[in-house]
Amino acid sequence: MRIAQIAPLYERVPPRLYGGTERVVCFLTEELVRQGHDVTLFASGDSQTSARLVRCGDTALRFNPAVCDALPYHMIMLDEVRRRIDQFDILHFHIDIIHAALVHDFADRTLTTLHGRLDSPDLAPFYAAFRDLPLASISNDQRGYLRHANWLGTVYHGLPPDLLSFRLNPDGYLAFLGRISPEKRPDLAIEIAARSRMPLKIAAKVDRADQAYWEAKIRPMVEGNPNVEFIGEIGEADKACLLGGATALLFPIDWPEPFGLVMIEAMACGTPVIAYRRGSVPEVIEENVSGFVVDTIDEAVTAVRRIGDLDRVKVRAEFERRFTAERMACDYVRIYRQLLAAHGRHVKATTLNGRHIASQAVRTSRSATLVDDAEAHPLIYQAE
């Protein structure tokens, strides 16, 4: 299959540091290439990929001090996509809504994964106007805010199984990893750690938008608690060390989390997760297996005391069962085939990342349901 992956330009693919969407696009792209598809990645010019790269700008926008507005650069990227539309069987967008008008005439061979929160009241009229835009969610909870959108399936994120190493014996601290912002509630993580009398390591970036929150709320709490260490923003190698050494990951969110990539990153290390019952959390965490889902600080403190009851080998096994990049890519390929088959399209690729291959026809059923074994992949759902 000839597949285009269209990534945001804020970070490179994969990101140097923080960047959930770009990281997922990287894992998906590499796995699709590994599975034999002809993949083209539209991303920042400093991206690294085994797919064919269309360079959209020199560097990730976040690291370009001359950039004040990201929208013009994404419009330039969309023009690059427009020039190459006929080269692809499927175009998979990861850039929210800005491409919707461009793809209106050929939406039946596009898929848009919505990576962000969908509880904004402004989104309902948008997706009412673009009812034909095929969408994928990253959790079932996320879909609840746009029940009448054109959902083709829910595909949970996945990681390469060898990305983060399993560690059986932790170092006896709690970890908070992500971003310093009010909805991520690092203040609750500090309070949970203090009441549990356990060290806490915080590895997080501070965006300009959250600088005031950091200075007024979180920095004083860090400086006032000797058991708290603020590490700052970290990369992939340091992430494995931080998560693998943690007794548990604290995820005390206070917003409708669409997925929560850090939860499965912790699970890949064998580290259980203590998370608040918001958004996707109950879908990702298997209670009493990969962690505990809580509603209050008291429950979180109790969960910390019970964390030794969980088997880190089973935490890792749960990751391997549900959250690998291979499973994620297979789920997306099923949706791609669903789109092509529903409209009687054929795969016309004659090259595989530059190498000649034989053409392959896709099943031409007109059914809007899945064309593959749904029982083997229960995370994919029939379009509503």
Side-chain angles (χ1 to χ4, degrees):
M1 209 178 300
R2 302 174 303 170
I3 304 168
Q5 295 290 333
I6 299 96
L9 301 178
Y10 304 105
E11 306 282 349
R12 75 174 194 183
V13 176
R16 284 190 288 168
L17 297 170
Y18 188 87
T21 299
E22 294 86 354
R23 182 166 281 109
V24 170
V25 172
C26 170
F27 301 149
L28 175 59
T29 298
E30 296 307 305
E31 179 60 26
L32 289 171
V33 170
R34 190 191 70 81
Q35 292 184 12
H37 298 282
D38 187 11
V39 187
T40 298
L41 173 65
F42 292 81
S44 65
D46 53 346
S47 296
Q48 299 175 352
T49 180
S50 58
R52 184 181 298 106
L53 177 64
V54 176
R55 300 174 72 254
C56 302
D58 294 330
T59 62
L61 300 183
R62 185 160 78 94
F63 294 98
N64 186 343
V67 172
C68 298
D69 183 358
L71 181 59
Y73 300 92
H74 284 90
M75 298 307 294
I76 293 171
M77 178 175 70
L78 287 177
D79 188 56
E80 294 291 341
V81 174
R82 181 190 62 80
R83 294 168 185 267
R84 298 167 172 82
I85 285 173
D86 292 335
Q87 298 177 15
F88 307 112
D89 302 304
I90 291 289
L91 297 99
H92 191 167
F93 292 88
H94 303 268
I95 54 175
D96 293 329
I97 66 175
I98 62 175
H99 61 288
L102 169 69
V103 305
H104 185 76
D105 292 337
F106 55 94
D108 59 345
R109 58 188 176 104
T110 73
L111 181 67
T112 299
T113 294
L114 299 182
H115 292 264
R117 64 190 300 170
L118 301 180
D119 54 326
S120 169
D122 299 319
L123 292 178
F126 176 86
Y127 287 105
F130 291 92
R131 291 184 182 275
D132 293 334
L133 188 66
L135 304 176
S137 53
I138 57 177
S139 67
N140 294 331
D141 180 84
Q142 185 192 34
R143 298 171 68 168
Y145 298 99
L146 297 171
R147 294 186 181 277
H148 301 293
N150 187 20
W151 296 113
L152 296 191
T154 290
V155 180
Y156 294 147
H157 290 335
L159 310 175
D162 58 351
L163 179 71
L164 298 165
S165 300
F166 169 73
R167 183 166 169 181
L168 183 60
N169 299 308
D171 292 331
Y173 61 84
L174 303 173
F176 177 96
L177 175 64
R179 180 165 49 89
I180 298 294
S181 63
E183 66 269 17
K184 299 287 188 178
R185 295 307 298 265
D187 57 319
L188 290 182
I190 294 171
E191 187 171 349
I192 292 166
R195 289 179 54 178
S196 303
R197 298 183 179 179
M198 287 191 67
L200 172 66
K201 294 187 178 184
I202 298 177
K205 79 167 183 173
V206 183
D207 281 333
R208 282 179 289 183
D210 297 310
Q211 191 67 41
Y213 173 70
W214 161 253
E215 294 292 345
K217 179 78 172 180
I218 303 304
R219 184 199 285 271
M221 293 186 71
V222 170
E223 294 175 349
N225 287 272
N227 67 322
V228 177
E229 177 185 1
F230 180 74
I231 299 171
E233 192 173 3
I234 61 174
E236 207 70 59
D238 294 329
K239 183 185 298 183
C241 181
L242 173 81
L243 292 175
T247 299
L249 171 75
L250 297 182
F251 197 65
I253 55 169
D254 190 19
W255 72 304
E257 174 68 67
F259 183 79
L261 189 63
V262 67
M263 290 191 286
I264 67 171
E265 290 174 333
M267 291 167 59
C269 298
T271 301
V273 181
I274 299 171
Y276 272 42
R277 194 185 311 275
R278 297 295 306 273
S280 67
V281 165
E283 298 176 51
V284 176
I285 300 302
E286 187 72 19
E287 185 76 17
N288 295 308
V289 177
S290 54
F292 299 108
V293 180
V294 302
D295 296 296
T296 66
I297 290 180
D298 288 341
E299 290 180 7
V301 172
T302 299
V304 171
R305 294 170 183 157
R306 294 181 54 205
I307 210 70
D309 297 340
L310 302 185
D311 186 341
R312 292 174 73 95
V313 173
K314 292 182 179 179
V315 176
R316 170 71 190 195
E318 184 72 1
F319 159 76
E320 292 179 351
R321 183 177 74 88
R322 300 180 63 205
F323 297 116
T324 64
E326 180 179 10
R327 190 276 310 149
M328 172 177 64
C330 287
D331 286 350
Y332 275 124
V333 167
R334 279 171 169 77
I335 295 181
Y336 300 160
R337 288 175 175 163
Q338 172 187 344
L339 281 165
L340 295 175
H343 297 277
R345 295 185 181 274
H346 293 262
V347 174
K348 302 177 182 178
T350 56
T351 62
L352 175 58
N353 290 354
R355 303 188 304 276
H356 180 78
I357 60 173
S359 296
Q360 179 183 5
V362 174
R363 194 181 309 179
T364 57
S365 166
R366 302 293 297 183
S367 171
T369 58
L370 288 177
V371 297
D372 285 281
D373 182 6
E375 292 184 0
H377 294 269
L379 302 182
I380 303 296
Y381 298 88
Q382 179 177 340
E384 294 179 333

